Amino acid sequence: MPETGESGVTQDPQNAPVSMKARAASELPCFTPGTKIATERGKIAVEKLAVGDRVETLDNGVQAVAQTGTQTLTRAELDRDGSLRPVLVTKGALGDNVPNRDMLVSAKQKLLLQSPLAEMCFWEPKVLASAKLLAVSTATNAVKFSGVPRVTFTYLKFKAPQMVLADGLWCECLGVGKGYQAARMVLKPWELAFLL
């Protein structure tokens, strides 16, 4: 029986292609509802933030949100394309109380890893790794793909790439310009193996 997803595309769950909106959502670093973002007014759920709200950043003080968007993916879309599945980062998976609660992010979300080993290996004490790469690289279940039946992703963009504090974990948000410029060094799979 066909169903209409939040992306507005009527589809047969067994063999319909993944919607363009779902595909676009998978290409952005995104958070899920309830993720608390550090702002000048305190910690605010990502879905409550709007253009112009001022968010604390790691490198550039308080910066205004330039763009935000939300996309809900249905069970059918998640079942058809596993790369759309969110990644669960459990409380404390990346350091002492980092993040400070279990959080779901998109597979493309870049997370900040901080360690003396990173500096020794890459001459950078703080490096980025995608949630997807962490999920497939870790030997524990501390970071893993989630089996949720449905997910809503929310993204934030700024005038330039920024690192924002989300649930106690520094995460990258993109800039509104064309192209991709990382806020930090982004690890490749073989590089991440040195840190895990």
Side-chain angles (χ1 to χ4, degrees), residues 33-115:
T35 302
K36 299 286 194 257
I37 306 294
T39 75
E40 68 180 358
R41 297 181 291 136
K43 295 175 185 163
I44 298 177
V46 68
E47 69 273 19
K48 304 272 188 206
L49 292 173
V51 171
D53 284 342
R54 297 173 49 80
V55 173
E56 293 180 23
T57 71
L58 180 61
D59 302 308
N60 299 303
V62 177
Q63 296 290 313
V65 173
Q67 188 179 87
T68 185
T70 299
Q71 177 63 39
T72 297
L73 303 180
T74 65
R75 177 187 294 273
E77 289 168 320
L78 294 172
D79 286 347
R80 264 193 307 286
D81 187 346
S83 71
L84 299 175
R85 290 212 166 274
V87 174
L88 172 66
V89 183
T90 60
K91 179 180 179 178
L94 301 176
D96 186 26
N97 207 35
V98 177
N100 57 27
R101 70 178 194 98
D102 289 357
M103 66 186 299
L104 280 176
V105 295
S106 68
K108 295 279 183 157
Q109 181 65 63
K110 305 269 187 323
L111 312 173
L112 189 70
L113 306 179
Q114 303 180 65
S115 77

